[in-house]
Amino acid sequence: GAGVSQSPRYKVAKRGQDVALRCDPISGHVSLFWYQQALGQGPEFLTYFQNEAQLDKSGLPSDRFFAERPEGSVSTLKIQRTQQEDSAVYLCASSLPFSSGGKSRYEQYFGPGTRLTVT
Amino acid sequence: AQSVTQLDSHVSVSEGTPVLLRCNYSSSYSPSLFWYVQHPNKGLQLLLKYTSAATLVKGINGFEAEFKKSETSFHLTKPSAHMSDAAEYFCVVLSGGYNKLIFGAGTRLAVHP
């Protein structure tokens, strides 16, 4: 079946512009996560949704970052007034609501990411 | 709080020789641990996971890892490296609460002919 998809794959923004990054999780996956991966680093948690509810946004670096998942499926990560330090790969992951068929509910499936470059 | 430390940022091996990527963890309770691989311009792929069952965990592509509580380690091994194994590898611990993943800094594996 289809995996997690993200769009756009690449985004170049001028400093100060707003950007919106989209994530389409695997159908039926209740949990959705956003991570930020800076160059040469491991991914870092940004925020978590269970269905449409944003239950953890402790990793969002500033109030310029906003995420939503209004219908419990597609999610959008929005960054307002982008800064150079926002340049990174933004990863989306989804997971099952419960363990099933040998797949653990802890196992997250990642999309290919969106590479954001702020100039 | 949970954390992982990958002891080597770069590892270089010859094709056909063993691979060892080292990871130590810190956790206040029995952790769930993972290894993920990231090939250039591709998404993260789960190699294997430990969730308090057998301490020796077998994953895809011939990789395995052993959970050693006494050493707080979860090292990744493979008996014989293949050129296609060249990638970035991340040791990951599951954080409590909402199951977010805490990643190590990564180890870049290079495989030479």
Side-chain angles (χ1 to χ4, degrees), chain B residues 95-111:
Chain B
S95 177
Y98 297 120
N99 298 327
K100 62 189 177 189
L101 299 179
I102 308 297
F103 285 78
T107 297
R108 182 166 296 277
L109 176 65
V111 182

Side-chain angles (χ1 to χ4, degrees), chain B residues 51-80:
Chain B
T51 53
S52 72
T55 57
L56 182 62
V57 181
K58 294 188 183 299
I60 62 172
N61 300 336
F63 284 95
E64 62 181 38
E66 187 171 7
F67 174 76
K68 290 187 176 180
K69 186 176 180 179
S70 61
E71 299 177 9
T72 61
S73 69
F74 189 58
H75 301 334
L76 181 70
T77 61
K78 183 174 180 177
S80 176

